[in-house]
Amino acid sequence: MPFMTLSKATLVLFAASLILLLTQHVKAHSYADCIDWRFKDPKKPSWSDKHGACFGYARRFPLKAKPFAKLDSDNPNRHYQQSHKNPDPNHSLPCSDGRQGEEPGADETMANPISAAYNGKDKHGRKTGVQTVSKAGEKLCIRWPAKNHAVPSEKNQPVTIALSKVNPKKDPTQLQFLDNIIAELNYKNCTDKSKDTDIWSCGDCFKLPTNLKPGNVVMQWRWKLNSNEFYTSCADIKIEPPSITAPTVDIPSKTTSTFHTPTSASSASSASSAPSTSQIPSSASSALSASPTSASASPIAFSV
Ligand SMILES: *[C@@H]1O[C@H](CO)[C@@H](O)[C@H](O)[C@H]1NC(C)=O
Ligand SMILES: *[C@@H]1O[C@H](CO)[C@@H](O)[C@H](O)[C@H]1NC(C)=O
């Protein structure tokens, strides 16, 4: 009898620890850790803290609350699993409100003003990350923790990146996001793979559409783990106007002639018209067509 009770107790203990282990494993889910990751050395790109830095975050992202990859055990946990039946995940809440979903997650709804979700304090008084600032056509690199799901035995399930329209009044619905998926990323693109497969750092890069107008867009990171099982993170990206120099040089002298002609005229005469007058003594049209010739001619003119 004592043996029986002991083995029963052992069994219960074993079952309890197994359940604990399983629950911990179940909770190991990913989220967008950084929206604008920049590599220290672009020739040796790596997603680890040692080899890069983050310049833009998801909404109300608590900086330094936990080490990398551990925000799924924050309070509330960072990862948000969308409801499976709403009637399906395509209709569920796209950005966690901290209440809905299979696993509610932290509040990542749109702030009013948008900037209030950045560079401030969260509910616990912890400093939150800055907003991502970018431009149409620019590349963004997003980082996430593997959370044990980048190992060879796991299927490589995609991460999709979707955008709202510019300056929306509220968050798009999930269906609206699905209508504007701009990139599919490689979940298993991880570096610095240590023994602890939970904390592998992973990420991937994509380009923003070239036709984006300046303003704020909502970006959704959405990772599919199993069919019907999706995790999301939401961030606002501030799209700045294209840099001033490129378009003003492209559109010369019509309306802004008084301001721009001096510089463009002097640079044009010093660069192209000087060789072209000596070699090809003719009009502006020949200077355009002969620009490769004049470029190759000028070193010769200097060396002779
Ligand atoms: C959800 O949306 C995706 C992409 O538009 C589609 O492939 C999938 O069939 C949809 N799922 C359901 C249950 O409607
Ligand atoms: C994967 O990660 C590397 C950095 O390690 C990055 O340069 C690259 O763009 C990512 N994407 C792919 C598809 O390799």
Side-chain angles (χ1 to χ4, degrees), residues 144-301:
W144 56 82
K147 301 310 305 178
N148 300 318
H149 296 289
V151 290
S153 59
E154 293 255 343
K155 198 174 166 200
N156 194 12
Q157 296 280 34
V159 167
T160 52
I161 300 298
L163 292 185
S164 73
K165 296 208 162 65
V166 176
N167 294 329
K169 291 268 184 309
K170 53 181 184 167
D171 280 333
T173 63
Q174 186 56 57
L175 285 175
Q176 287 170 327
F177 270 133
L178 288 170
D179 260 355
N180 195 25
I181 291 177
I182 59 152
E184 195 169 286
L185 308 183
N186 177 10
Y187 185 79
K188 287 193 178 182
N189 193 33
C190 310
T191 59
D192 305 82
K193 299 181 181 178
S194 59
K195 267 195 193 140
D196 187 352
T197 61
D198 191 53
I199 59 167
W200 287 358
S201 51
C202 320
D204 205 351
C205 307
F206 66 96
K207 276 197 175 153
L208 288 166
T210 51
N211 59 359
L212 270 185
K213 297 269 181 307
N216 280 298
V217 291
V218 188
M219 189 213 82
Q220 186 198 43
W221 175 97
R222 194 178 194 229
W223 170 50
K224 175 181 176 179
L225 180 54
N226 294 298
S227 66
N228 264 13
E229 187 180 342
F230 292 90
Y231 297 84
T232 79
S233 293
C234 292
D236 305 279
I237 301 175
K238 188 176 181 193
I239 307 296
E240 289 197 322
S243 24
I244 322 280
T245 44
T248 42
V249 170
D250 282 345
I251 310 154
S253 63
K254 268 186 203 161
T255 51
T256 52
S257 55
T258 46
F259 190 76
H260 285 283
T261 10
T263 11
S264 59
S266 62
S267 68
S269 62
S270 64
S272 62
S273 75
S276 71
T277 41
S278 59
Q279 307 263 323
I280 315 144
S282 68
S283 66
S285 66
S286 73
L288 276 173
S289 60
S291 64
T293 338
S294 66
S296 64
S298 58
I300 300 164

Side-chain angles (χ1 to χ4, degrees), residues 64-177:
K64 295 177 181 166
K66 297 262 179 186
F68 173 71
K70 295 301 179 187
L71 277 180
D72 58 343
S73 63
D74 195 28
N75 177 27
N77 57 268
R78 191 71 194 178
H79 70 258
Y80 161 54
Q81 186 186 161
Q82 294 183 298
S83 165
H84 296 177
K85 334 176 182 58
N86 213 357
D88 60 66
N90 288 358
H91 290 80
S92 58
L93 192 72
C95 308
S96 179
D97 63 358
R99 294 189 298 271
Q100 296 176 57
E102 303 297 325
E103 296 173 275
D107 179 12
E108 292 187 56
T109 53
M110 182 184 277
N112 183 16
I114 278 167
S115 58
Y118 302 94
N119 204 19
K121 297 256 165 81
D122 74 358
K123 274 184 190 160
H124 300 293
R126 302 175 302 190
K127 203 172 181 320
T128 55
V130 295
Q131 189 185 347
T132 302
V133 179
S134 194
K135 289 191 178 108
E138 272 194 359
K139 187 167 91 167
L140 281 179
C141 295
I142 301 203
R143 178 169 91 142
W144 56 82
K147 301 310 305 178
N148 300 318
H149 296 289
V151 290
S153 59
E154 293 255 343
K155 198 174 166 200
N156 194 12
Q157 296 280 34
V159 167
T160 52
I161 300 298
L163 292 185
S164 73
K165 296 208 162 65
V166 176
N167 294 329
K169 291 268 184 309
K170 53 181 184 167
D171 280 333
T173 63
Q174 186 56 57
L175 285 175
Q176 287 170 327
F177 270 133

